[in-house]
Amino acid sequence: MRASEKAYAALRDDIVEWRLAPGTVLAEVEQSERLGVSRTPLREALGRLTAEGLTTPGGRGVVVTDISLEDIDELFELRETLEGKAAALAASRGDAATFEQLRGELVRAPEMINGNDPTRHEYYELVGRLDTAIDAAISNSYLAQAMRSLRVHLVRIRRLAADDAARLAAAAAEHAAIAEAIAAGNPRLAEAATIVHLHRSLSHVKATHASHHKEHHG
Amino acid sequence: MRASEKAYAALRDDIVEWRLAPGTVLAEVEQSERLGVSRTPLREALGRLTAEGLTTPGGRGVVVTDISLEDIDELFELRETLEGKAAALAASRGDAATFEQLRGELVRAPEMINGNDPTRHEYYELVGRLDTAIDAAISNSYLAQAMRSLRVHLVRIRRLAADDAARLAAAAAEHAAIAEAIAAGNPRLAEAATIVHLHRSLSHVKATHASHHKEHHG
DNA sequence: ATGAACATCAGTGTATACAAAGACTGCTGA
DNA sequence: TCAGCAGTCTTTGTATACACTGATGTTCAT
């Protein structure tokens, strides 16, 4: 594995998993020593992170960007636009059998969620497969790229919300509804189902974030 | 000016202005010598270009990405989604006086187009001001960023289309309609006006491209 | 003549040394 | 005591040397 790739993956992970808090300044020598690479590949990694919006060039060095509550609203506003359109396109252009299959798996998702894997790896992998299927179905590389660049930030936010079993089960049902609409070739329904799902996710995130805040400061 | 910035600006310009044709491989030593910078800042420039999608890592070195006719369709599909949403948000959140002012200027745009400046600098500057005003009005940095990253590719495409006076006058009228809808605070009308404008632009680009193709090969 | 193995080389990936810019500290003067 | 300034020192920006990889061509054996 290339050193720049290694540094990028490590830093990205540290930021997404909140091990590097927003506002942290990433000094080049400090990080290059910590990650065991030289400054050259480290700078390349920082450049990629900045391009993705996970870091931003601040006065001295790059700093980890903040995600405030307003940012989350903005993020979901864009996400609603992009994923709504993507779901509609997938319904128009996608292969019905593929999404019918995914719908079937999603309906049985509660079994995974209540299983004995605390990381819910199997569940998240299934949701990832739905994303991938939509990406492939829309056959629009620019839109797919735009959504990919958004997902980084979403993973970061997901880490803020407690992924309790109840919410996950509800989310699985919402995903199943999206898959069903796409399989049925109904663009407007697919878009609507996506928007409903995103709004519920947003409400959940904001509710959790508010309680976290209360817990820490109240 | 930093060397990396200089290299980035130069390469980006060369690609957007079609001086570097799609498929051209940008070898590091070759380009660094041509631009008078060392390999280190040049690599940073190539990284930024690749992040923006103007170049792509191909086997040996990075190559200038192609823009085919299908790509243009995909690009406008995403553009319709993003700019349609942006216009709607601007209508909801923007300041009416600002867009009323812009509408007035756009109505008088034909005078600029038929003026004696062959580059139509004044006209493009006015259209740019409309874009900027919309960016500011939506107050959504993620959406604004997504649109900015699209505009690079659009400039590249614009260079393909002949910007004849007739089309420019029509485009100005379409822009005026968008500004009017935003000033009136009518989101759905603003979105519709944007979609109409983009479709007409796309038709014009494709028509020009087709005739170019015919001219060269027929 | 053809195929395989090896050598050579072009070109990227990485490390490090050097240069420049900017911030912090301490001093001086009012 | 505080403002201004200079010096130093940290940190980024750039250049270059070195390492490694993959490709290409050549040679030798069959």
Side-chain angles (χ1 to χ4, degrees), chain A residues 2-4 38 40-41 60:
Chain A
R2 288 189 314 230
S4 63
S38 85
T40 307
R60 160 152 86 253

Coordinates of all heavy atoms in Angstrom, one line a residue, chain A residues 2-4 38 40-41 60, chain C residues 13-17 23-24:
Chain A
R2 N 0.5 2.2 -0.8 CA 1.3 3.4 -0.9 C 1.2 4.2 0.4 O 0.2 4.2 1.1 CB 0.8 4.3 -2.0 CG 1.1 3.8 -3.4 CD 0.8 4.9 -4.4 NE -0.5 5.5 -4.2 CZ -1.4 5.6 -5.2 NH1 -1.2 5.1 -6.4 NH2 -2.6 6.1 -4.9
A3 N 2.3 4.9 0.7 CA 2.3 5.7 2.0 C 1.2 6.8 2.0 O 0.6 7.0 3.0 CB 3.7 6.3 2.2
S4 N 1.0 7.4 0.9 CA 0.0 8.5 0.8 C -1.3 7.9 1.1 O -2.2 8.5 1.8 CB 0.1 9.2 -0.5 OG -0.2 8.3 -1.6
S38 N 6.6 10.1 5.4 CA 7.3 11.4 5.3 C 6.3 12.5 5.0 O 5.1 12.2 4.8 CB 8.4 11.3 4.3 OG 7.9 11.6 3.0
T40 N 5.9 14.3 2.4 CA 5.4 14.4 1.0 C 4.1 13.6 0.8 O 3.1 14.2 0.4 CB 6.5 13.9 0.0 OG1 7.7 14.7 0.2 CG2 6.0 14.1 -1.4
P41 N 4.1 12.3 1.2 CA 2.8 11.7 1.0 C 1.7 12.2 2.0 O 0.5 12.2 1.7 CB 3.1 10.2 1.3 CG 4.4 10.2 2.0 CD 5.1 11.4 1.6
R60 N -2.5 28.4 10.0 CA -1.3 27.6 10.0 C -1.7 26.1 9.9 O -2.3 25.6 10.8 CB -0.5 27.9 11.3 CG 0.4 26.8 11.7 CD 1.6 27.3 12.5 NE 1.4 27.4 13.9 CZ 1.2 28.6 14.6 NH1 1.2 29.7 13.9 NH2 1.0 28.6 15.9
Chain C
dG13 P 2.6 7.8 -8.4 OP1 1.4 7.0 -8.2 OP2 2.6 9.3 -8.4 O5' 3.7 7.3 -7.4 C5' 3.7 6.0 -6.9 C4' 4.6 5.9 -5.7 O4' 5.9 6.3 -6.1 C3' 4.3 6.8 -4.5 O3' 4.4 6.1 -3.3 C2' 5.2 8.0 -4.6 C1' 6.5 7.3 -5.2 N9 7.3 8.1 -6.0 C8 7.0 9.0 -7.1 N7 8.0 9.6 -7.6 C5 9.1 9.2 -6.8 C6 10.5 9.5 -6.9 O6 11.0 10.3 -7.7 N1 11.2 8.9 -5.9 C2 10.7 8.0 -5.0 N2 11.6 7.4 -4.2 N3 9.4 7.6 -4.9 C4 8.7 8.3 -5.9
dT14 P 4.1 6.8 -1.9 OP1 3.6 5.7 -1.0 OP2 3.3 8.0 -2.1 O5' 5.5 7.2 -1.4 C5' 6.5 6.2 -1.2 C4' 7.8 6.8 -0.7 O4' 8.4 7.6 -1.8 C3' 7.7 7.7 0.5 O3' 8.5 7.2 1.5 C2' 8.2 9.1 0.0 C1' 9.0 8.7 -1.2 N1 9.1 9.8 -2.2 C2 10.4 10.3 -2.6 O2 11.4 9.9 -2.0 N3 10.4 11.2 -3.6 C4 9.3 11.7 -4.3 O4 9.4 12.5 -5.1 C5 8.0 11.1 -3.9 C7 6.8 11.6 -4.6 C6 8.0 10.2 -2.9
dA15 P 8.4 7.8 3.0 OP1 8.5 6.7 3.9 OP2 7.3 8.7 3.1 O5' 9.8 8.6 3.0 C5' 11.0 7.9 2.7 C4' 12.2 8.8 2.6 O4' 12.0 9.6 1.4 C3' 12.3 9.8 3.8 O3' 13.7 9.7 4.2 C2' 12.0 11.2 3.2 C1' 12.3 11.0 1.7 N9 11.6 11.8 0.8 C8 10.2 11.9 0.7 N7 9.8 12.7 -0.2 C5 11.0 13.3 -0.8 C6 11.2 14.2 -1.8 N6 10.2 14.8 -2.5 N1 12.5 14.5 -2.1 C2 13.5 13.9 -1.4 N3 13.4 13.0 -0.4 C4 12.1 12.7 -0.1
dT16 P 14.1 10.4 5.6 OP1 15.0 9.4 6.2 OP2 12.9 10.8 6.4 O5' 14.9 11.7 5.2 C5' 15.8 11.5 4.1 C4' 16.2 12.9 3.6 O4' 15.2 13.4 2.7 C3' 16.4 14.0 4.6 O3' 17.5 14.8 4.3 C2' 15.1 14.8 4.5 C1' 15.0 14.8 3.0 N1 13.7 15.2 2.4 C2 13.7 16.0 1.3 O2 14.7 16.4 0.7 N3 12.4 16.3 0.9 C4 11.2 15.9 1.4 O4 10.1 16.3 1.0 C5 11.3 15.1 2.6 C7 10.1 14.6 3.3 C6 12.5 14.8 3.0
dA17 P 18.4 15.4 5.5 OP1 19.4 14.4 5.9 OP2 17.5 15.9 6.6 O5' 19.1 16.6 4.8 C5' 19.5 16.5 3.4 C4' 19.2 17.7 2.7 O4' 17.8 17.8 2.3 C3' 19.5 19.0 3.5 O3' 20.2 19.9 2.6 C2' 18.1 19.5 3.8 C1' 17.3 19.1 2.6 N9 15.9 19.0 2.9 C8 15.3 18.3 3.9 N7 14.0 18.3 3.8 C5 13.7 19.1 2.7 C6 12.5 19.6 2.2 N6 11.3 19.3 2.7 N1 12.6 20.4 1.1 C2 13.8 20.7 0.6 N3 15.0 20.3 1.1 C4 14.9 19.5 2.1
dA23 P 0.7 34.9 10.9 OP1 -0.6 34.4 10.4 OP2 1.0 36.3 10.9 O5' 0.8 34.3 12.4 C5' 1.1 32.9 12.6 C4' 2.0 32.8 13.8 O4' 3.4 33.1 13.5 C3' 1.7 33.6 15.0 O3' 1.8 32.9 16.2 C2' 2.7 34.7 15.0 C1' 3.9 34.0 14.4 N9 4.9 34.8 13.8 C8 4.7 35.7 12.8 N7 5.8 36.3 12.4 C5 6.8 35.7 13.2 C6 8.2 35.9 13.2 N6 8.9 36.8 12.5 N1 8.9 35.1 14.1 C2 8.3 34.3 14.9 N3 7.0 34.0 14.9 C4 6.3 34.8 14.0
dC24 P 0.9 33.2 17.5 OP1 -0.1 32.1 17.6 OP2 0.5 34.6 17.4 O5' 1.9 33.1 18.7 C5' 2.9 32.0 18.6 C4' 4.2 32.5 19.3 O4' 4.9 33.3 18.3 C3' 4.0 33.3 20.5 O3' 4.8 32.7 21.6 C2' 4.5 34.7 20.1 C1' 5.5 34.4 19.1 N1 5.7 35.5 18.1 C2 7.0 35.9 17.8 O2 8.0 35.3 18.4 N3 7.3 36.9 17.0 C4 6.2 37.5 16.4 N4 6.5 38.5 15.5 C5 4.9 37.1 16.6 C6 4.7 36.1 17.5

